[in-house]
Amino acid sequence: MTKAAVPLLIVLGVLIGLSTHTVVNCGDEDDPDICSAVIGFSPLRGSLIAFAYEGRGRIALRHGDWRRAIADFDEAIHLNPNRASLYRERALARRQNGDFELAIEDYDEAIAHDPRLAAPYHQRGLALAATGDLDRAILSYNTAVRLDPSDAQARLARGLAFLARGRADEARADFEATLALPAGKDDAHTRDAARAKLAELASAEPTEVAAPRR
């Protein structure tokens, strides 16, 4: 290798690095045109372009454009069908769009690719509950809670499902467990909901009436 070729290789390496960085992280910006430019003009093809579709899909999710998000995640999964996160993200878009059965199928795929994460079980439970399948939702929440006992939202969701099934004691235990967990920065609404449900359960309990004195 000549000395003149070394700087050229360095420059080429930097350009490739920047291009890859742009592909992988274009969704971090709130401008879908960046991802679109990567998709349309980048020399990189195949599974790397899946990151650009995913990025544009995540931007669409943040802006509530569920159909656009689903379409981009479709392309990302077509290019890279082995990433669990793509199925989770498409499932979220489908759930927000009201396509609960399709969302459940995507959560199943995400779990099949990575069964160790608690979040897909929790989110699948939400989709199942939305279809009225509370028994399967509870089973999914059970796994989520087992994998991540500190997830207050999963505890609350399971408690609500128990309550809807008439299993008040189990619901109460989950609402109390939700409040017993250390408070996270995003848990205020969850804790308020748990307190409200405990208050409802307490008000629904029959009051003991003293026996009349003779």
Side-chain angles (χ1 to χ4, degrees), residues 10 48 62 77 100 108 115 141 153 205:
I10 293 173
L48 274 174
R62 291 199 294 268
I77 288 169
F100 299 114
D108 288 343
Y141 294 141
Q153 293 181 3
E205 291 175 352

mmCIF file of all heavy atoms in Angstrom, residues 10 48 62 77 100 108 115 141 153 205:
data_model
loop_
_atom_site.group_PDB
_atom_site.id
_atom_site.type_symbol
_atom_site.label_atom_id
_atom_site.label_comp_id
_atom_site.label_asym_id
_atom_site.label_seq_id
_atom_site.Cartn_x
_atom_site.Cartn_y
_atom_site.Cartn_z
ATOM 1 N N ILE A 10 -8.461 6.565 5.036
ATOM 2 C CA ILE A 10 -8.966 7.184 6.272
ATOM 3 C C ILE A 10 -10.210 8.009 5.984
ATOM 4 O O ILE A 10 -11.237 7.919 6.670
ATOM 5 C CB ILE A 10 -7.875 8.047 6.938
ATOM 6 C CG1 ILE A 10 -6.736 7.148 7.456
ATOM 7 C CG2 ILE A 10 -8.462 8.873 8.085
ATOM 8 C CD1 ILE A 10 -5.539 7.917 7.971
ATOM 9 N N LEU A 48 -29.381 -2.460 6.602
ATOM 10 C CA LEU A 48 -29.067 -1.144 7.160
ATOM 11 C C LEU A 48 -30.153 -0.130 6.856
ATOM 12 O O LEU A 48 -30.474 0.725 7.689
ATOM 13 C CB LEU A 48 -27.716 -0.641 6.621
ATOM 14 C CG LEU A 48 -26.471 -1.102 7.393
ATOM 15 C CD1 LEU A 48 -25.218 -0.657 6.681
ATOM 16 C CD2 LEU A 48 -26.498 -0.564 8.813
ATOM 17 N N ARG A 62 -44.448 9.258 16.997
ATOM 18 C CA ARG A 62 -44.445 10.405 17.909
ATOM 19 C C ARG A 62 -45.483 11.439 17.516
ATOM 20 O O ARG A 62 -45.988 12.176 18.370
ATOM 21 C CB ARG A 62 -43.048 11.042 17.945
ATOM 22 C CG ARG A 62 -41.991 10.183 18.601
ATOM 23 C CD ARG A 62 -40.783 10.990 19.034
ATOM 24 N NE ARG A 62 -40.055 11.555 17.942
ATOM 25 C CZ ARG A 62 -39.025 10.971 17.338
ATOM 26 N NH1 ARG A 62 -38.651 9.754 17.714
ATOM 27 N NH2 ARG A 62 -38.374 11.566 16.359
ATOM 28 N N ILE A 77 -39.342 -4.387 8.511
ATOM 29 C CA ILE A 77 -39.415 -5.818 8.818
ATOM 30 C C ILE A 77 -39.133 -6.648 7.572
ATOM 31 O O ILE A 77 -38.476 -7.702 7.650
ATOM 32 C CB ILE A 77 -40.791 -6.155 9.425
ATOM 33 C CG1 ILE A 77 -40.868 -5.582 10.847
ATOM 34 C CG2 ILE A 77 -41.035 -7.665 9.439
ATOM 35 C CD1 ILE A 77 -42.249 -5.624 11.454
ATOM 36 N N PHE A 100 -56.149 -4.404 16.992
ATOM 37 C CA PHE A 100 -55.671 -5.137 18.164
ATOM 38 C C PHE A 100 -55.221 -6.554 17.832
ATOM 39 O O PHE A 100 -54.214 -7.028 18.378
ATOM 40 C CB PHE A 100 -56.751 -5.152 19.247
ATOM 41 C CG PHE A 100 -57.139 -3.788 19.725
ATOM 42 C CD1 PHE A 100 -58.411 -3.285 19.496
ATOM 43 C CD2 PHE A 100 -56.223 -2.994 20.384
ATOM 44 C CE1 PHE A 100 -58.762 -2.022 19.925
ATOM 45 C CE2 PHE A 100 -56.554 -1.722 20.822
ATOM 46 C CZ PHE A 100 -57.835 -1.234 20.585
ATOM 47 N N ASP A 108 -46.556 -11.317 19.658
ATOM 48 C CA ASP A 108 -46.145 -12.725 19.667
ATOM 49 C C ASP A 108 -44.812 -12.907 18.945
ATOM 50 O O ASP A 108 -43.932 -13.650 19.405
ATOM 51 C CB ASP A 108 -47.212 -13.598 18.997
ATOM 52 C CG ASP A 108 -48.477 -13.758 19.845
ATOM 53 O OD1 ASP A 108 -48.416 -13.473 21.056
ATOM 54 O OD2 ASP A 108 -49.516 -14.162 19.284
ATOM 55 N N PRO A 115 -37.673 -13.534 24.174
ATOM 56 C CA PRO A 115 -38.645 -13.804 25.245
ATOM 57 C C PRO A 115 -38.233 -13.289 26.614
ATOM 58 O O PRO A 115 -38.979 -13.473 27.587
ATOM 59 C CB PRO A 115 -38.717 -15.339 25.253
ATOM 60 C CG PRO A 115 -37.377 -15.776 24.762
ATOM 61 C CD PRO A 115 -36.942 -14.742 23.755
ATOM 62 N N TYR A 141 -49.826 -10.502 31.541
ATOM 63 C CA TYR A 141 -49.351 -9.625 32.615
ATOM 64 C C TYR A 141 -48.552 -10.416 33.652
ATOM 65 O O TYR A 141 -47.571 -9.903 34.211
ATOM 66 C CB TYR A 141 -50.526 -8.939 33.315
ATOM 67 C CG TYR A 141 -51.309 -7.969 32.474
ATOM 68 C CD1 TYR A 141 -52.703 -7.899 32.576
ATOM 69 C CD2 TYR A 141 -50.674 -7.090 31.591
ATOM 70 C CE1 TYR A 141 -53.433 -7.009 31.827
ATOM 71 C CE2 TYR A 141 -51.410 -6.194 30.832
ATOM 72 C CZ TYR A 141 -52.789 -6.155 30.949
ATOM 73 O OH TYR A 141 -53.523 -5.269 30.206
ATOM 74 N N GLN A 153 -46.738 -0.104 36.079
ATOM 75 C CA GLN A 153 -47.815 -0.048 35.093
ATOM 76 C C GLN A 153 -48.367 -1.441 34.791
ATOM 77 O O GLN A 153 -49.581 -1.616 34.597
ATOM 78 C CB GLN A 153 -47.324 0.628 33.820
ATOM 79 C CG GLN A 153 -47.008 2.111 34.025
ATOM 80 C CD GLN A 153 -46.537 2.783 32.753
ATOM 81 O OE1 GLN A 153 -46.485 2.172 31.693
ATOM 82 N NE2 GLN A 153 -46.191 4.059 32.856
ATOM 83 N N GLU A 205 -67.132 -2.120 49.785
ATOM 84 C CA GLU A 205 -67.182 -3.172 50.790
ATOM 85 C C GLU A 205 -68.371 -2.951 51.724
ATOM 86 O O GLU A 205 -68.651 -1.816 52.121
ATOM 87 C CB GLU A 205 -65.887 -3.195 51.606
ATOM 88 C CG GLU A 205 -64.681 -3.665 50.802
ATOM 89 C CD GLU A 205 -63.394 -3.567 51.591
ATOM 90 O OE1 GLU A 205 -63.432 -2.985 52.701
ATOM 91 O OE2 GLU A 205 -62.362 -4.051 51.107
#
